[in-house]
Amino acid sequence: MNSHLKKLSAAGMLITLGIIFGDIGTSPLYVFQTLLIEGGKVNADLVLGSISCIFWTLTLQTTFKYIIITLQADNRGEGGIFSLYALVRRYGKWLAIPAIIGAGTLLADGIITPPISVTSAIEGLNLVPAFAKEIVPGNNLVLIIVISIMIILFFFQQFGTKVVGSSFGPVMLIWFSMLSILGLMQLVHYPEIFKALNPYYGARLLIYHPNGFWLLGAVFLCTTGAEALYSDLGHCGRKNIQVTWIFVKTTLMLNYLGQGAWVLMQPANKNFAGVNPFFEIVPHFFLIPSIGIATLATIIASQALISGSFTLISEAISMNFWPRITVKYPSNIRGQIYIPSINWILCVGCIAVSLYFRTSAAMTNAYGFSITIAMLMTTILMYYFMRYVKHWPVWLVTIILCVFLTVEFSFFVTNAVKILKRLFFLVFEFGLIFTMYIWFRARKINNRFLNFIDLKEQIPLLKALSADQGVSKYATHLIYLTKANNSKQIEQKIMYSILSRKPKRADVYWFVHIERTDEPYTMEYTVDEMENDKVIRVEFRLGFRIQTRINLLFRKVVEDMVSRKELDITSKYESLGHFNLAADFQFVIMEKFLSYNNEFNLREGFILNSYFAIKKLAQSEAKAFGLDTSETRIEKIPLIVKPVTNILLKRVEIH
């Protein structure tokens, strides 16, 4: 996002409405309806208590925790659980665990938010007399419409949201304005409903209602978008989010109060089964336009969540929590990325959720558990941020933590009872968390065996090998990719590859290193000739949007060096050099495999075996770096973590 849009401005606030508040902004479609269903007998105590709980949940959880406190934890302008983890990881190695669990549960939320939002909007057509018989919640027609919308939504991800993204803000402005107007139309007739903002009614509901405490599971649905709000901080900037939230919270509360007022104005014996107060407060002449606006708003909310999922996985890849997979950049805006594999996994997940639950009412029964866990994990990381990064006093951090944990643990307990209704998701969640944990732990084990040595000390050896006519030539130009950030160092395994078994004699040894920058289009390189025409290190500085096509980039470097008369690439073979033919170039990529010569304990064995099984599904190193297979040699290197010892082999003499 352009930096000027992160500053407080009308344009920035409009974009914030479209990107940030879609999820939390569409919750009036189903929250109050769910409370009426789960609350049993509908009376003034239930309505006033429910609205009171919604107001104080939005105040404590969304406003206090996320808008005021958590948004301060920005990592160079970026938000989200991995950005928060990056800020605090030096204060405890174990903090990777809450980061992984939080990210996994947040991603799992991505397969239920789109179906529940879109289904709620489409079910509203049931109130239109012309569609009343055809549109019945849970029937095949509703499912076909919902699944069609989602397939179109996921299909268009590959083109980016640049074209339609500009309309997100205005559509959400219309949506939030509609929420407030619909609410005010009811409040004019029943202003007494404003007393519901008193926390007394909420406390009374929780204490005296037969299902009081357990209703928090439904109340929690009003704040499910809060975690995604923090994840999208980098798109809009803190000030825009904080100021826009004042408008958003006002419109949400006016709508909830309006729904409550409508319910209290109904006859005492009215049956609310299958009734959605959100659409009941819409004037009949405006019903179809309101459903159209609601559908657009839910699509925008789903889009924000899908984009958030892509960002989360992208961060996970860069922090070594996720295998390397194809990441595409459909537009010039930094936040705009597209990950095909994640896109279609989410698409299949959303369709499966729709087919399994069928109605929005059934979906709300399974919704919320993942987000409570994600919020608890953020709270754990926020403790370290407040205490060790911000250096707030212990007493203040303790009070804040007690408030957060009391609220969130209550929501966790009330949502935990939904676990049997959501076994469907546990497999998905477990798969995400398992993949991240295995990848993270295995990389840690791998890095223990990444040894660097002084490259200067190796140059005499490389010169001697290059001049040794007794060794057959492997390639004229031999190129290795190195992870050594220090230009004076090289991995020991690279020297082992060059010198061991059949030595690789070459005329020129190249070591290529890639550094990623925070700018989108950086394309720079430096050349360090460590030994004239013999050992050369090339350092690429590439922006995050530049694909690592090392083959093409390296060729450009060679062309530049030739034009500057710094390099002669004429073939050193006499017969070919006579005709001015170019020399050969050979890349060597080293891929590790798990050696049989290992004695693991059960835990390390399981982690490493799982890691290499997952790695087979990920992108190959050659493909990830854009190397042509004709010029690339893959060299398998055994990973020996704990060599087999104490081999009880006894020699016997032959008589």
Side-chain angles (χ1 to χ4, degrees):
M1 187 62 63
N2 297 338
S3 59
H4 71 272
L5 291 179
K6 290 189 177 183
K7 294 170 186 166
L8 186 60
S9 65
M13 287 164 66
L14 192 64
I15 285 168
T16 303
L17 278 181
I19 294 176
I20 304 284
F21 294 112
D23 191 358
I24 206 164
T26 51
S27 49
L29 280 166
Y30 48 81
V31 172
F32 203 64
Q33 177 190 24
T34 308
L35 279 161
L36 293 182
I37 293 167
E38 294 189 8
K41 188 174 185 300
V42 177
N43 54 30
D45 287 346
L46 175 66
V47 173
L48 295 173
S50 296
I51 291 173
S52 181
C53 286
I54 289 170
F55 175 73
W56 287 102
T57 298
L58 287 174
T59 301
L60 288 173
Q61 196 63 14
T62 315
T63 309
F64 182 53
K65 179 183 175 183
Y66 284 94
I67 298 290
I68 295 174
I69 293 178
T70 308
L71 285 186
Q72 294 186 41
D74 69 327
N75 187 349
R76 293 180 190 165
E78 293 296 325
I81 198 155
F82 282 133
S83 293
L84 179 55
Y85 166 70
L87 289 170
V88 300
R89 61 179 160 188
R90 63 181 176 275
Y91 303 111
K93 289 182 179 178
W94 69 277
L95 291 173
I97 303 301
I100 288 168
I101 295 172
T105 48
L106 195 58
L107 276 169
D109 177 52
I111 65 165
I112 191 166
T113 300
I116 194 173
S117 305
V118 176
T119 307
S120 300
I122 299 302
E123 284 175 357
L125 288 168
N126 176 249
L127 294 173
V128 180
F131 301 129
K133 288 182 181 176
E134 284 79 17
I135 303 289
V136 178
N139 76 353
N140 290 338
L141 182 59
V142 171
L143 280 178
I144 290 166
I145 296 170
V146 169
I147 289 170
S148 300
I149 288 172
M150 287 191 297
I151 288 173
I152 293 166
L153 178 66
F154 282 104
F155 174 75
F156 277 99
Q157 293 304 311
Q158 60 197 301
F159 306 113
T161 54
K162 193 177 179 184
V163 180
V164 290
S166 55
S167 65
F168 284 4
V171 170
M172 291 311 290
L173 180 61
I174 293 167
W175 166 254
F176 285 116
S177 304
M178 185 181 91
L179 289 184
S180 55
I181 293 165
L182 292 175
L184 284 167
M185 285 166 65
Q186 302 300 317
L187 293 174
V188 171
H189 302 296
Y190 199 89
E192 297 91 338
I193 192 74
F194 276 104
K195 66 184 179 185
L197 302 183
N198 187 334
Y200 162 78
Y201 292 100
R204 190 173 157 185
L205 177 77
L206 299 180
I207 295 165
Y208 296 113
H209 191 280
N211 301 327
F213 178 71
W214 302 106
L215 286 175
L216 282 177
V219 170
F220 180 72
L221 298 175
C222 76
T223 188
T224 48
E227 188 68 37
L229 173 155
Y230 173 48
S231 300
D232 287 325
L233 169 64
H235 293 287
C236 303
R238 186 194 313 161
K239 281 277 182 280
N240 282 320
I241 296 173
Q242 289 174 333
V243 175
T244 311
W245 171 243
I246 298 167
F247 168 70
V248 170
K249 187 182 177 186
T250 305
T251 61
L252 289 173
M253 282 317 304
L254 285 173
N255 193 265
Y256 285 125
L257 287 163
Q259 290 185 44
W262 178 83
V263 170
L264 292 178
M265 287 188 288
Q266 300 311 301
N269 58 351
K270 182 175 172 71
N271 180 11
F272 286 93
V275 171
N276 187 344
F278 179 86
F279 288 111
E280 295 292 344
I281 65 173
V282 179
H284 277 290
F285 72 88
F286 193 65
L287 201 53
I288 291 178
S290 73
I291 292 165
I293 296 166
T295 305
L296 286 174
T298 56
I299 289 169
I300 291 167
S302 304
Q303 173 61 55
L305 215 95
I306 296 162
S307 299
S309 300
F310 293 159
T311 306
L312 203 64
I313 288 291
S314 175
E315 287 177 353
I317 294 167
S318 65
M319 297 181 82
N320 289 325
F321 282 111
W322 196 263
R324 194 181 274 117
I325 50 177
T326 305
V327 178
K328 295 183 176 178
Y329 299 90
S331 76
N332 297 342
I333 301 168
R334 175 169 187 176
Q336 292 272 316
I337 55 175
Y338 170 64
I339 304 177
S341 52
I342 299 299
N343 184 62
W344 296 113
I345 288 170
L346 287 175
C347 181
V348 170
C350 288
I351 292 168
V353 167
S354 299
L355 293 172
Y356 183 79
F357 290 106
R358 300 185 77 88
T359 68
S360 61
M363 289 177 206
T364 55
N365 288 332
Y367 192 30
F369 180 72
S370 300
I371 295 298
T372 51
I373 296 175
M375 287 179 169
L376 281 165
M377 297 304 115
T378 301
T379 300
I380 292 168
L381 296 175
M382 277 304 295
Y383 164 75
Y384 281 83
F385 176 77
M386 292 184 288
R387 186 73 195 91
Y388 298 109
V389 179
K390 286 287 190 181
H391 303 292
W392 289 0
V394 177
W395 64 268
L396 180 61
V397 174
T398 306
I399 292 170
I400 292 170
L401 208 66
C402 287
V403 172
F404 288 174
L405 290 176
T406 304
V407 172
E408 284 167 6
F409 196 72
S410 302
F411 284 135
F412 174 75
V413 171
T414 54
N415 277 295
V417 297
K418 300 177 178 181
I419 201 148
L420 290 173
K421 294 173 182 173
R422 64 184 314 286
L423 291 172
F424 179 86
F425 300 103
L426 286 182
V427 178
F428 187 65
E429 275 163 5
F430 179 76
L432 290 165
I433 292 167
F434 173 79
T435 302
M436 286 191 207
Y437 177 74
I438 292 295
W439 204 258
F440 177 72
R441 289 299 311 152
R443 293 293 292 230
K444 287 285 185 204
I445 295 168
N446 247 323
N447 289 342
R448 293 207 307 252
F449 301 94
L450 193 62
N451 298 320
F452 294 101
I453 54 178
D454 193 326
L455 181 53
K456 277 270 183 359
E457 292 175 6
Q458 307 302 314
I459 288 175
L461 198 56
L462 292 171
K463 280 178 71 178
L465 174 60
S466 183
D468 188 348
Q469 299 294 326
V471 179
S472 59
K473 191 185 280 190
Y474 184 82
T476 307
H477 294 266
L478 189 59
I479 309 134
Y480 281 89
L481 297 179
T482 173
K483 290 180 181 172
N485 294 325
N486 185 339
S487 62
K488 303 290 185 284
Q489 292 184 324
I490 194 74
E491 289 99 314
Q492 194 170 17
K493 67 179 182 180
I494 289 179
M495 292 310 300
Y496 177 82
S497 166
I498 293 171
L499 302 171
S500 68
R501 302 192 201 100
K502 186 184 175 187
K504 296 182 177 68
R505 184 163 79 87
D507 290 328
V508 186
Y509 293 95
W510 298 77
F511 301 112
V512 176
H513 181 254
I514 302 157
E515 183 199 336
R516 284 294 195 178
T517 69
D518 287 335
E519 296 299 313
Y521 289 109
T522 309
M523 283 183 77
E524 300 170 353
Y525 76 90
T526 57
V527 175
D528 183 5
E529 283 203 55
M530 308 190 79
E531 184 66 30
N532 195 31
D533 284 348
K534 196 57 63 186
V535 179
I536 303 172
R537 178 181 161 108
V538 178
E539 175 102 25
F540 286 112
R541 294 186 72 250
L542 302 178
F544 61 83
R545 275 211 70 223
I546 303 298
Q547 289 182 299
T548 48
R549 295 179 180 173
I550 296 304
N551 219 66
L552 290 172
L553 296 173
F554 183 76
R555 193 176 299 164
K556 177 67 177 160
V557 170
V558 171
E559 285 171 7
D560 280 0
M561 290 181 73
V562 170
S563 67
R564 290 168 184 242
K565 306 276 192 297
E566 294 171 345
L567 185 69
D568 179 14
I569 59 164
T570 310
S571 178
K572 295 291 190 287
Y573 296 109
E574 197 176 326
S575 57
L576 302 178
H578 181 68
F579 293 98
N580 286 327
L581 292 176
D584 59 297
F585 288 81
Q586 181 82 54
F587 284 91
V588 176
I589 293 278
M590 287 179 286
E591 286 188 355
K592 287 178 180 164
F593 67 91
L594 197 56
S595 172
Y596 292 117
N597 186 20
N598 275 304
E599 269 186 346
F600 299 118
N601 59 34
L602 193 65
R603 182 168 167 272
E604 276 196 338
F606 176 71
I607 286 172
L608 286 168
N609 280 306
S610 302
Y611 169 76
F612 282 101
I614 294 167
K615 199 174 180 190
K616 286 177 184 172
L617 302 173
Q619 231 180 6
S620 70
E621 297 276 319
K623 190 176 179 187
F625 291 117
L627 296 173
D628 287 339
T629 49
S630 59
E631 296 174 353
T632 307
R633 160 93 187 267
I634 308 295
E635 199 167 90
K636 301 286 186 182
I637 293 181
L639 177 64
I640 301 171
V641 180
K642 288 187 179 167
V644 177
T645 53
N646 302 325
I647 301 172
L648 302 172
L649 185 64
K650 188 172 77 172
R651 174 172 170 166
V652 293
E653 299 298 328
I654 301 171
H655 298 295

